[in-house]
Amino acid sequence: MRGWNIISLNDEIEKFLLEQGVLKVGFANKKTLEGGPSTVDITYPLPEAESAICFVLPLDRDKIRAFLRKDLPNGRRGHELDNIKTNIRVFKIAIRTAELLREKGYKSVPVFPNFKFREDVPGWEINMIPELSLKLIAARSGAGSIGWSGNLGLKGYGAPIIIGCVVTSAKLEPTDPIPPEECFCDKCKLCQSVCALRMFGSDESETLTMGGYTFTCSKRVNLARCQVVCGGLSGLDKTGKWSTWSPGRYPYPENNKEVMRLLSLAVTNAVKWPESGDEIGISESELRKDEELLNALVNDKEKLIDMLKTTKLTCGNCQLICWGDPKLTKENYKILTNSGCVIQKEDGEILVLPPVDAEKSFRAMDSKHQKLYYRELHRSK
Ligand code: SF4
Ligand code: SF4
């Protein structure tokens, strides 16, 4: 009798989620997550949790292409808004799924897909330890698989997907990870070459075993490399031939010491950059009108509103170029690496120019202004 109930609840949740437009659903439980890091401990957001439900929604591909191409004026902004709105959409689906489970008597919590960190862990601001590692839980549940970049993805969609998650006291039947032959990643490693500071550029891999399954991805060289680039502080690629949407043009740091030096220098400089006039994040008034969202955010409401209204996306390349089809991923790589370089004028205007012209125009700027975007790194061994 119990077995029947468990299976039918899985089916009911999956049907509900597919009706909301999600691409794939997976289920994990405490046992299948055993052996994973502390960030797969689903009792962190809900002490009574027994299971996690994961699902994914795709990002808008046309907007990704405009972002990669550096279309002006809306290439950056268009994708940013789609990305934030998809995160909110995913969370709302999680809210409704949690409600459905609560109506059946199970304690359930929707997990916000981004920006929530374990603030009780010392150093969380630097290490950005998430409340839950949704990608690991989703990979173990089979809602997607982990690619070389470390991002979750699906065949035919690739990595530009947003993960949703609900943790619940319901004892759901766990599902298996996607088998290797059905995974989206063909190890083309183009994701590695579109990370301007090569956060995972060593060619080495790292593995993790959860619930008897082993997951492999590239070894992270130093997370601070992503913090510099994804944080919008610098964007010039190692090759100098293209950039992200950031106007920072710092030299490539060769080792951890140089990365840390660059991080502190770039943070100090970026706060002095002139206003570009670019709209960023999502409007606060729009968020404050959204009762469903606000009620579910509970104590984190103000913190998350603040994050959502100030989010400015300038990278995400390792996720955005990988479309789960080698031809399309290669095309994205070409688009990005031929998209030119971003520089910022003294009056704040953002320009996108071919690499040689960008360097020439940058060097023609006031030297004080130049120092806010570029400074020789004192080389160290
Ligand atoms: S770009 Fe995508 S398919 Fe290619 S190695 Fe990276 S994750 Fe795998
Ligand atoms: S988001 Fe950007 S900076 Fe961060 S790892 Fe991916 S490509 Fe590198």
Side-chain angles (χ1 to χ4, degrees), residues 80-151:
E80 177 177 278
L81 211 48
D82 174 56
N83 198 313
I84 298 172
K85 287 191 169 175
T86 308
N87 272 278
I88 292 176
R89 207 178 133 214
V90 157
F91 186 55
K92 288 195 168 186
I93 294 174
I95 294 171
R96 289 166 205 158
T97 312
E99 263 164 25
L100 186 139
L101 283 155
R102 278 196 293 263
E103 276 164 21
K104 293 179 185 296
Y106 299 107
K107 288 198 170 174
S108 304
V109 170
V111 182
F112 200 81
N114 225 319
F115 307 129
K116 270 188 89 177
F117 303 104
R118 294 198 174 198
E119 297 183 14
D120 54 343
V121 178
W124 69 270
E125 301 98 325
I126 307 280
N127 301 317
M128 297 171 92
I129 299 161
E131 180 185 31
L132 284 180
S133 173
L134 298 193
K135 71 173 183 185
L136 293 181
I137 301 173
R140 182 57 184 83
S141 78
S145 60
I146 302 272
W148 178 249
S149 64
N151 291 307

Side-chain angles (χ1 to χ4, degrees), residues 84 127 132 147 197 203 209 231 267 303 317 359:
I84 298 172
N127 301 317
L132 284 180
L197 293 192
D203 266 334
T209 301
V267 167
K303 230 177 290 163
N317 291 340
E359 178 66 9

Side-chain angles (χ1 to χ4, degrees), residues 13-276:
I13 293 164
E14 183 163 10
K15 183 171 175 283
F16 174 79
L17 285 168
L18 292 173
E19 279 167 6
Q20 315 284 313
V22 314
L23 300 174
K24 200 157 188 314
V25 183
F27 301 89
N29 66 17
K30 288 199 284 194
K31 195 155 178 51
T32 63
L33 295 169
E34 258 172 27
S38 59
T39 49
V40 301
D41 174 9
I42 55 175
T43 63
Y44 184 82
L46 177 69
E48 300 86 350
E50 290 290 341
S51 315
I53 304 149
C54 291
F55 55 92
V56 292
L57 272 187
L59 290 167
D60 184 319
R61 288 186 164 203
D62 290 341
K63 297 208 163 75
I64 291 173
R65 277 273 162 97
F67 183 91
L68 295 175
R69 238 179 358 244
K70 294 202 187 64
D71 284 1
L72 284 173
N74 295 323
R76 196 199 64 75
R77 177 65 181 151
H79 163 65
E80 177 177 278
L81 211 48
D82 174 56
N83 198 313
I84 298 172
K85 287 191 169 175
T86 308
N87 272 278
I88 292 176
R89 207 178 133 214
V90 157
F91 186 55
K92 288 195 168 186
I93 294 174
I95 294 171
R96 289 166 205 158
T97 312
E99 263 164 25
L100 186 139
L101 283 155
R102 278 196 293 263
E103 276 164 21
K104 293 179 185 296
Y106 299 107
K107 288 198 170 174
S108 304
V109 170
V111 182
F112 200 81
N114 225 319
F115 307 129
K116 270 188 89 177
F117 303 104
R118 294 198 174 198
E119 297 183 14
D120 54 343
V121 178
W124 69 270
E125 301 98 325
I126 307 280
N127 301 317
M128 297 171 92
I129 299 161
E131 180 185 31
L132 284 180
S133 173
L134 298 193
K135 71 173 183 185
L136 293 181
I137 301 173
R140 182 57 184 83
S141 78
S145 60
I146 302 272
W148 178 249
S149 64
N151 291 307
L152 191 84
L154 273 180
K155 216 173 200 168
Y157 291 93
I161 51 176
I162 303 293
I163 312 163
C165 181
V166 178
V167 291
T168 175
S169 63
K171 290 187 174 173
L172 298 163
E173 192 70 19
T175 42
D176 286 336
I178 294 178
E181 63 279 12
E182 284 170 36
C183 288
F184 73 103
C185 179
D186 63 357
K187 298 253 168 65
C188 69
K189 297 194 179 172
L190 291 178
C191 46
Q192 198 165 298
S193 326
V194 296
C195 181
L197 293 192
R198 307 297 188 267
M199 196 270 275
F200 49 103
S202 71
D203 266 334
E204 286 174 58
S205 59
E206 54 192 15
T207 58
L208 171 77
T209 301
M210 285 181 292
Y213 285 85
T214 299
F215 302 85
T216 306
C217 73
S218 58
K219 189 173 171 198
R220 267 88 263 275
V221 176
N222 183 339
L223 274 182
R225 288 180 182 267
C226 179
Q227 284 165 348
V228 171
V229 180
C230 210
L233 305 171
S234 191
L236 191 64
D237 181 59
K238 185 183 183 186
T239 60
K241 292 186 176 151
W242 58 273
S243 80
T244 67
W245 277 96
S246 166
R249 299 175 64 76
Y250 295 98
Y252 181 79
E254 297 291 348
N255 52 44
N256 288 347
K257 221 170 168 181
E258 288 184 7
V259 177
M260 297 321 283
R261 198 174 293 148
L262 170 56
L263 180 60
S264 95
L265 171 70
V267 167
T268 318
N269 282 341
V271 291
K272 297 179 201 149
W273 289 353
E275 283 295 323
S276 66

